[in-house]
Amino acid sequence: QVHPVESGGGLVQAEGSLRLSCAASGGTFSNYGVAWFRQAPGKQREFGACISWSGGSTTYADSVKGRFTISRDNNKKTVYLQMNSLKPEDTAVYYCAAGTCMSGAQAALYPYWGQGTQVTVSS
């Protein structure tokens, strides 16, 4: 098992940037694809991006494509989400999930989840 822990959230103005980190303990982190999801109040959990175990393949939701970049450093057992040009509608709790990117946007198929980090974008 791996235990993801998110960090890096906070309050930022619109058009600003944040970088989220997902650090893992336990297990072999480099064996897993890692995705970022987000959930705004009153809304369903939404897929944002996924990176394969090697970092060689990435996928993005249309809502974040061109603004967010997912990357990983397996030596540090950490996955990053660089978020640029943030919008108020990006406000949500952001979660990282370990599994396989073949699961796509199906949150239930990712077995390992962090507790989330709050991102708030003010207008």
Side-chain angles (χ1 to χ4, degrees):
Q1 293 186 349
V2 294
H3 304 284
V5 178
E6 303 92 341
S7 62
L11 174 65
V12 64
Q13 289 188 332
E15 296 304 315
S17 298
L18 278 177
R19 188 176 80 157
L20 305 183
S21 298
C22 173
S25 61
T28 305
F29 188 57
S30 58
N31 285 349
Y32 296 92
V34 175
W36 285 96
F37 286 77
R38 64 187 184 184
Q39 188 165 19
K43 294 188 176 181
Q44 288 190 332
R45 197 162 292 191
E46 175 190 22
F47 172 80
C50 196
I51 188 165
S52 64
W53 66 271
S54 67
S57 177
T58 57
T59 55
Y60 295 92
D62 288 344
S63 58
V64 307
K65 196 176 296 182
R67 299 187 299 123
F68 291 9
T69 302
I70 191 170
S71 62
R72 70 188 297 162
D73 184 338
N74 283 339
N75 290 327
K76 296 182 178 179
K77 295 186 178 181
T78 303
V79 170
Y80 305 98
L81 186 68
Q82 177 67 44
M83 306 187 295
N84 299 328
S85 302
L86 283 160
K87 305 175 182 180
E89 51 263 44
D90 293 318
T91 295
V93 177
Y94 283 70
Y95 299 90
C96 68
T100 169
C101 292
M102 296 292 288
S103 298
Q106 300 180 75
L109 298 184
Y110 290 84
Y112 306 113
W113 289 81
Q115 295 300 306
T117 185
Q118 176 71 46
V119 172
T120 303
V121 184
S122 63
S123 57

